[in-house]
Amino acid sequence: MKIIYLVITMACFAQINLFAQEPSDTVQSNIQLSLLVKNDGTEYIGEIISDDGREVLIMTKELGKIYIQKSDIKSITRIEDVKDIVYGEYRIAGPFTTRYSFTTNALPIQKGENYALINLYGPEVHFAVSEQLSLGVMTTWAVSPLIVAGKYTFSKDTTRNFNVSIGSLIGTTGYLNQFRGYGGLHFMNFTSGSRSKNITFSAGYAHLMAGFEGYKPSEGITFSDSRYQVGELTTRPTVHGPIVSIAGIAKVGAKASFVFDSMLGVFSQNSWNTRTTAITESYYDYDLNQYVDGWYQHETTYYTSRTTALFIMPGMRFQKTDKKAFQVSLAGVSVFEWVDAFGGANSYSFPMPMLMWFFKF
């Protein structure tokens, strides 16, 4: 209950911050604005009045008319939505706004806005196949495991304030376990808000067959030289269970955003435990000068182990250009384990910091 209460509290906190009133500049809708960036990094937002090939005349709100030499201009970007102008600066959206930390939202990656991501644990790459479908590949620096990601957004309208998508992560443990392990996460996203300010509720189901093998002890009475009876070599059962998530992003400045991500998963796994008692112990007979086997009773108890895991990941994203961004998240993980067969419980927590670099290509 404490875990569920914490998730609800964080969700309310995120929602209050994400949908608080955001300051914006009032601009006449019939004026076409552009962002002009000089070679030294100075930015101007305004209406371009003239361009004779040598210099550009731009009408700004703060400074009025300004003449700028074309040789001093690094780039000129047409501003499609005046809502992206906040605190007198242009807020860039781009493909990074489809991603939080671990989770994604229902907004599609637009054509030509593919991105790569590098973090402390490994690289990723995600690209748009169409206006609604995107694919990606994720791995670690050891190139194992390998995961293929896919997401489909149901609407082509990128200006909608509510979007729905479905997606899957399908992977293999790779060469580290001779490709015996596999798993997946299949989910649905519900996103409310724009690219620069939104909140997402997600729900899905995960399953993992790690592929590790072990000996399942034999049951019944055996005659052997040891109380430890080796049984059948078998693969450990699948771990599976539902996952829910609340995540969001909100601009706190023209080049900075607050990012919140979380996941709550409840997983179960069928397993077994064998108790062995001696009917007749093995012993060494000095008269016969040999070892005499004993009789042992093996009783196997089947049970279901359950694990609840909670990830909470608040962070900040800094994006100075439309091609690069940096994000830092101070993440924490809490795990609670419970085993039916023994009635025992175990809980522990540990930090999981995230440093992420985004690159548009």
Side-chain angles (χ1 to χ4, degrees):
M1 289 301 295
K2 290 183 179 179
I3 292 177
I4 297 175
Y5 176 76
L6 181 58
V7 172
I8 295 174
T9 302
M10 294 302 295
C12 294
F13 172 77
Q15 189 168 9
I16 291 172
N17 283 275
L18 289 173
F19 292 95
Q21 182 64 34
E22 187 177 24
S24 60
D25 297 332
T26 301
V27 183
Q28 297 180 13
S29 58
N30 60 344
I31 297 178
Q32 176 57 59
L33 298 178
S34 298
L35 170 68
L36 190 152
V37 182
K38 295 180 64 176
N39 294 327
D40 61 5
T42 305
E43 298 181 358
Y44 297 99
I45 295 176
E47 179 187 11
I48 295 179
I49 299 176
S50 66
D51 181 356
D52 62 5
R54 292 185 303 106
E55 58 185 11
V56 173
L57 175 60
I58 183 171
M59 172 64 78
T60 66
K61 180 181 178 182
E62 295 80 9
L63 303 176
K65 294 182 179 180
I66 300 176
Y67 285 96
I68 303 176
Q69 295 290 330
K70 288 291 289 286
S71 59
D72 294 334
I73 298 175
K74 180 180 180 180
S75 65
I76 299 177
T77 303
R78 180 182 175 131
I79 298 176
E80 301 293 343
D81 192 346
V82 295
K83 293 181 181 179
D84 292 331
I85 303 174
V86 182
Y87 302 113
E89 295 186 63
Y90 177 53
R91 293 178 166 184
I92 301 169
F96 314 145
T97 55
T98 64
R99 179 69 176 265
Y100 300 116
S101 294
F102 284 145
T103 66
T104 64
N105 55 39
L107 298 171
I109 300 176
Q110 298 179 5
K111 292 286 287 184
E113 292 195 340
N114 312 314
Y115 75 93
L117 185 157
I118 295 176
N119 59 44
L120 296 177
Y121 312 104
E124 303 178 23
V125 60
H126 300 269
F127 55 92
V129 178
S130 67
E131 295 178 347
Q132 297 169 266
L133 176 64
S134 63
L135 296 176
V137 179
M138 310 163 64
T139 187
T140 66
W141 294 116
V143 200
S144 185
L146 293 170
I147 300 174
V148 175
K151 186 179 73 173
Y152 179 82
T153 301
F154 288 97
S155 175
K156 294 182 179 180
D157 186 0
T158 59
T159 63
R160 285 166 52 97
N161 287 325
F162 184 78
N163 287 274
V164 180
S165 71
I166 57 174
S168 287
L169 300 176
I170 301 175
T172 172
T173 54
Y175 68 89
L176 292 181
N177 196 25
Q178 291 76 49
F179 292 90
R180 288 197 297 261
Y182 59 89
L185 169 60
H186 318 289
F187 57 88
M188 176 172 282
N189 296 330
F190 304 89
T191 300
S192 177
S194 64
R195 285 187 173 270
S196 61
K197 182 178 64 174
N198 58 67
I199 186 168
T200 297
F201 297 88
S202 304
Y205 200 85
H207 57 91
L208 173 63
M209 172 66 77
F212 297 112
E213 295 182 334
Y215 285 96
K216 182 179 179 181
S218 301
E219 285 192 86
I221 298 176
T222 60
F223 179 68
S224 66
D225 60 356
S226 172
R227 68 169 49 244
Y228 301 105
Q229 177 70 14
V230 175
E232 176 188 1
L233 181 63
T234 183
T235 302
R236 306 297 295 185
T238 302
V239 179
H240 58 93
I243 294 180
V244 295
S245 171
I246 300 173
I249 186 171
K251 289 284 190 177
V252 295
K255 309 300 182 185
S257 299
F258 170 74
V259 181
F260 175 79
D261 205 349
S262 67
M263 287 190 294
L264 175 65
V266 181
F267 310 103
S268 61
Q269 180 184 32
N270 296 326
S271 192
W272 58 80
N273 183 58
T274 299
R275 182 178 63 182
T276 301
T277 55
I279 299 175
T280 303
E281 289 276 7
S282 303
Y283 66 97
Y284 189 84
D285 192 321
Y286 289 95
D287 294 332
L288 299 176
N289 198 27
Q290 66 181 17
Y291 195 86
V292 179
D293 294 345
W295 291 93
Y296 300 94
Q297 172 73 44
H298 306 282
E299 297 177 284
T300 301
T301 301
Y302 295 90
Y303 63 92
T304 299
S305 62
R306 292 180 173 86
T307 301
T308 299
L310 173 66
F311 300 77
I312 296 180
M313 292 158 277
M316 291 293 299
R317 180 179 299 170
F318 305 95
Q319 183 176 352
K320 291 186 177 181
T321 72
D322 65 337
K323 296 184 180 298
K324 295 180 181 180
F326 170 74
Q327 180 173 319
V328 55
S329 298
L330 303 177
V333 181
S334 295
V335 179
F336 177 82
E337 297 177 330
W338 179 66
V339 180
D340 286 2
F342 315 106
N346 183 35
S347 61
Y348 52 91
S349 299
F350 56 90
M352 191 174 181
M354 293 284 292
L355 297 177
M356 306 170 71
W357 291 264
F358 294 85
F359 303 93
K360 176 183 174 182
F361 66 92

